[in-house]
């Protein structure tokens, strides 16, 4: 069995592709069921965030193409287009990639903490959809342990930064005094919650939170002295918003060009700073063509993010070392489990031959044959049966000059004999 990690992320695919390959929450169970049903796939988990979509699978040999073809079919995307921006890792490299993702080393913002929570959510969904077996279950648990160690022993989590932090940092460069700015946040998930807290810490006091579920918006807005509104109230709220940051799981844009254009007229064309963190996008790209609108997507935050990355590089190097140790440990445990399967098969084979020889010996004794002759025949017969297949394999190895196999056989089969001399 092969461990496979296949996906796309912010480094390999533009946002236009990422939003087409993203899995919405309502799609995940269906996706896992279909993926798990592929002939060569034994286990599966799906991680889908604004910056990446990744499939983690236990497959038979050559299962990668099946998984890639399925991903293409599911999202109605030409396989050739997906192939150009997809990456894949197998076995140790796949385990290493998952661990790097978990601690934020593969994130747009180096060391950002959100991804670990998203990965734990993906793990839980896969469990509930019965996508996990022993291999992926152990891998995820081991990954979570490594991530905890990295967070505890390195500075990777100090001075928390994220896409949310980068968005607010960019806003602070554009506005001289954030305390005089009004902000409209669309969504009420973890990302928007982080944005709200960063804005509040930066001095923003006029805060509105729009969400499909008003109760969740009220909880977030209330904790920061803001107000909650429904999605239907967004057009009116836009009139007073200097900052608009959106991150929802909506399949279609929430802010269209016409809506924003009308709000600008009522604002007398006072500029608006907008950041669309969502994938698929919440704000139509054409909104960026409007005068007095400064629209940024997650891809546009790269400059801010690179600055943060430099501050975390030392901790990242330490994290890489811990991950390498984690991968080696995972390899070690996997080899031991693999050897256990072989040992069980060898013992089962030997016990079957023993039981057959023993039964034949008991039948001879029952017929009154000489006990000593029966015992000698039993020993001779059992030795021949046990050594028959190894003898054939050794002769074949000798004929093919496979010296390494002959040496391994000698170490396995003769070590006890040598110790006895």
């Amino acid at each position: 069995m092969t461990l496979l990690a296949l996906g796309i992320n912010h480094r390999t695919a533009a946002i236009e592709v990422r939003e087409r390959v993203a899995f919405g929450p309502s799609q995940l169970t269906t996706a896992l069921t279909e993926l798990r049903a592929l002939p060569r796939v034994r286990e599966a988990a799906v991680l889908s965030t604004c910056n990446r979509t990744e499939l983690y699978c236990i497959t038979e040999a050559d299962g990668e193409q099946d998984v890639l073809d399925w991903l293409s079919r599911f999202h109605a995307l030409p396989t050739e287009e997906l192939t150009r921006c997809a990456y894949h890792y197998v076995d140790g490299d796949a385990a290493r990639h998952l661990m790097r993702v978990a601690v934020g080393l593969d994130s747009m913002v180096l060391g950002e903490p959100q991804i670990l929570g998203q990965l734990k959510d993906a793990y839980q969904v896969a469990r509930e959809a019965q996508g996990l077996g022993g291999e992926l279950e152990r891998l995820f648990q081991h990954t979570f342990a490594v991530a905890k160690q990295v967070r505890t022993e390195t500075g990777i989590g100090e001075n928390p930064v994220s896409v949310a932090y980068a968005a607010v940092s960019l806003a602070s460069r554009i506005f001289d005094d954030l305390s005089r700015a009004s902000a409209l946040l669309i969504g009420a998930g973890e990302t928007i919650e982080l944005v709200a807290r960063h804005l509040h810490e930066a001095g923003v006091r006029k805060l509105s939170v729009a969400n499909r579920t008003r109760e969740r918006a009220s909880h977030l807005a209330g904790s920061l002295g803001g107000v909650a509104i429904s999605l239907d109230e967004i057009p009116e709220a836009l009139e007073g918003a200097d900052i608009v940051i959106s991150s929802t799981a909506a399949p279609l844009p929430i802010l269209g060009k016409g809506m924003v254009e009308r709000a600008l007229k009522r604002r007398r064309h006072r500029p608006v700073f907008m950041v669309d963190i969502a994938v698929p996008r919440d704000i139509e790209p054409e909104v960026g063509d409007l005068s007095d609108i400064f629209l940024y997507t997650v891809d546009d935050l790269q400059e801010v993010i690179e600055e943060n990355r430099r501050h975390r590089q030392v901790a990242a190097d330490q994290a890489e070392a811990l991950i390498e140790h984690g991968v080696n440990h995972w390899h070690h445990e996997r080899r031991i489990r693999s050897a256990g399967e072989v040992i069980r098969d060898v013992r089962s084979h030997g016990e079957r031959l023993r039981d057959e020889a023993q039964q034949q010996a008991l039948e001879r004794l029952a017929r009154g044959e000489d006990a000593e002759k029966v015992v000698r025949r039993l020993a001779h017969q059992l030795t021949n049966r046990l050594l028959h297949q190894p003898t054939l394999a050794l002769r074949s190895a000798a004929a093919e000059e496979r010296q390494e196999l002959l040496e391994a056989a000698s170490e396995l089969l003769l070590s006890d004999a040598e110790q006895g001399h």
Side-chain angles (χ1 to χ4, degrees), residues 76-183:
L77 191 69
T79 304
E80 298 76 17
E81 184 176 350
L82 190 57
T83 301
R84 282 195 294 270
C85 55
Y87 48 81
H88 73 276
Y89 303 97
V90 298
D91 293 334
D93 290 334
R96 181 179 296 103
H97 177 73
L98 178 60
M99 293 177 201
R100 295 187 80 253
V101 168
V103 301
L105 293 182
D106 196 58
S107 296
M108 182 179 286
V109 179
L110 182 65
E112 63 94 1
Q114 280 180 277
I115 187 63
L116 181 58
Q118 293 167 330
L119 191 60
K120 288 181 176 179
D121 289 343
Y123 160 77
Q124 190 61 41
V125 171
R127 282 195 71 185
E128 292 171 359
Q130 298 184 328
L132 302 184
E135 281 287 327
L136 282 185
E137 175 72 36
R138 284 187 288 266
L139 174 63
F140 274 101
Q141 291 297 340
H142 186 61
T143 295
F144 297 149
V146 169
K148 181 178 180 181
Q149 183 184 16
V150 168
R151 292 284 168 187
T152 302
E153 298 182 15
T154 76
I156 198 76
E158 294 176 3
N159 303 314
V161 292
S162 62
V163 171
Y165 179 87
V168 175
S169 177
L170 188 57
S172 67
R173 297 182 185 184
I174 293 174
F175 293 91
D176 293 332
D177 184 2
L178 281 177
S179 66
R180 300 170 60 186
S182 297

Side-chain angles (χ1 to χ4, degrees), residues 57-69:
C57 304
I58 299 297
T59 73
E60 295 178 4
D62 302 322
E64 175 196 341
Q65 191 60 49
D66 287 357
V67 174
L68 185 65
D69 290 342

Side-chain angles (χ1 to χ4, degrees), residues 15 24 84 115 128 133 143 154 166 202 206 227 291 333 350 378 390 394:
I15 190 170
R84 282 195 294 270
I115 187 63
E128 292 171 359
T143 295
T154 76
K206 298 175 183 177
V227 296
S291 299
E333 293 296 318
L378 171 65
L394 287 171

